[in-house]
Amino acid sequence: MEDEEMEKKVQQYLQRKGFRLTELALQEERNRLSTSAVSDIALARSENDPARYYDGYSKLRTWAYSSLDQYKHELLRVLYPVFIHCFMDLVAEGHTHEARSFFHAFREDHELMHSRDLQKLEGILSPSHLEEMELARSLRQNKFRIKLCKYSYDLLLQYLQKTQALVVFGIINECITFDVSHGQPSLISDDTDVVALVGTSKDLAKQINQKEVHWGLLEDSVEERMEKALLESDKTEAESKDADAEDNKKKSSEGGKQGGSVKKAKKDKLVGGATGKTNKSETSIVSVASRVKPELTLPVIPVEVEQSILEDWRNRAQLNSLALPSVSFYTFLNTHNGLNCSSISHDGSLVVGGFSDSSVKVWDMSKIGQPPKTSSPQGDNGLSQGERISASDDGKRPYTLFQGHSGPVYSAAFSPFGDFLLSSSSDSTIRLWSTKLNANLVCYKGHNYPVWDVQFSPVGHYFASASHDRTARIWSMDKIQPLRIMAGHLSDVDCVQWHVNCNYIATGSSDKTVRLWDVQTGECIRMFIGHRSMVLSLAMSPDGRYMASGDEDGTIMMWDLSSGRCVSPLVGHNSCVWSLAYSCEGALLASGSADCTVKLWDVASSTKALKMDDTKVGSTNRLRMLKALPTKSTPVYALRFSRRNLLFAAGALSLGS
């Protein structure tokens, strides 16, 4: 009130004195201040208005879709990060209803490329969810990196300057890093690779990869005991042959016939020496590997099982680049595209298939080809509860049928000794079956989404699972809850593999990375970056030093676990690499793909060159392909080297290939 009276007196004074110009200047200043106050109030209101996100994104979307066709696909890449951050900012400000409306109004723009992320983000209903959900935290903490050509980048800057869209400008400035290249715009087919989170940068991998990894074999492992037993048996055989040779020498004076026996004894001695040399070369990789202590309590292996393993080791074929393995391929017929996965037992006697109708079927190879006792039924439909488990020896089916899952089965794995079977499904459960009792023993519940892969540890009892919920979990057969949860991947964990010493597991993900985890702490100790598409298969070398990974594009990469670097990159196949397997002595790597081929790679020469060039940090050596084994029309689902180095493979005949 006092200010208004003061202004009125000043104005009266100016009028009385005739200061007209000063009076007009004062009036203009008063009008300017009042206009500024009104605009500040309007700006404050607009900053709290949730509609500004809808308007800003909608205008950017309209502009991007109306751009020149040559640059449109590049400019459309900006929409997804802006859409995600507009939605999360609305939720963070408490505008939940407006956030839901905004999400459903524009989600179709990104359904094709980012459907899995959208399914996750759809569950965000409050600001607390942004902190609890790993994906939301990752998106808010890391920047998107987008590749654009120079002209597309200039077009975007001109639009932002012209429209003065503060919301969109702020999101692009804070949440997106542009990788600008000169020349023509990139191809539309590269869209999956040009938008990525900076959170998986090489700096983060370098920081993680500084942690220590003990890649050696277990102390007093089965391999070590088998090696000692083989050496002792070879020594005993050599001594007995020496004794026989001495006896023959004493009897040589009795006649020329005995002379022939001496020559035969010498020949046997030479053969025995060669055999000993072969056994030594077979186990050389195991011998030179360092020894580590187990971090898990390992189960006791029965004596009869050890005897069986020893017998297999005695009869193992020595493989190298000149001596390739025999291959036995199991082909599934008449699956009608229902087979999702397959696995083979370590001795090749059992083959399992997981199907889209939620069933698990096990074939005993010793009974294949035997005529059924009675006529086969027309189908498996209409089974009663009592027929959930139907053994093959009833004469009705050539396989054992296990039913219990309520969704498609995506993975199955035999225990190292073939007495148990694991299966995982889209119903988010893992089931343990007994192949001896033909019964379901346990149903493990812990994952919240489909379980893509499950694998037994090399000693049995423990197993690991990989899921759509972006975690891997470690379980033991005697506990229904997981022992460890490995969280850190930015997308689905598609495959999992145990290290040979059981102290680590490796996971491959749709975020195009492979990670190595410590089973005791649940901590990520290695991050392997290099794949350009989702990682679908993993394999560990028998000495525990190297790991191979295969991806959706057909690329195979071999990694050194100690340094965390790729040592042998190669484009192995024309399609997805679904399975990888090392031979027992680690000399060969087999890969199976959706391109209907099995390929054999020379690992021994590559690793030998690497050990000689260990001082060269950047040295790499591409694997040499030894042989490609094409099938007629069968994608390769699974590979397995038996303990005798026979290679087993399995797949479903695809008539549409």
Side-chain angles (χ1 to χ4, degrees), residues 17-35:
K17 292 292 184 179
F19 297 148
R20 182 64 180 166
L21 293 176
T22 306
E23 183 184 356
L24 292 174
L26 181 62
Q27 191 173 357
E28 287 180 3
E29 181 67 17
R30 190 186 300 120
N31 293 335
R32 187 183 66 80
L33 290 174
S34 62
T35 304

Side-chain angles (χ1 to χ4, degrees), residues 372-445:
K373 297 176 183 177
T374 59
S375 60
S376 176
Q378 293 182 354
D380 296 331
N381 298 325
L383 291 176
S384 65
Q385 290 292 327
E387 293 174 315
R388 281 184 174 274
I389 300 173
S390 179
S392 60
D393 54 7
D394 62 1
K396 295 182 179 180
R397 297 186 181 91
Y399 54 81
T400 305
L401 175 65
F402 297 103
Q403 286 187 314
H405 286 292
S406 58
V409 179
Y410 290 122
S411 180
F414 287 102
S415 64
F417 313 121
D419 47 351
F420 296 105
L421 171 67
L422 285 170
S423 61
S424 66
S425 167
S426 67
D427 62 12
S428 74
T429 66
I430 303 165
R431 288 183 178 267
L432 178 70
W433 313 84
S434 170
T435 57
K436 305 294 184 184
L437 304 175
N438 293 331
N440 182 211
L441 304 179
V442 191
C443 179
Y444 302 94
K445 299 178 181 179

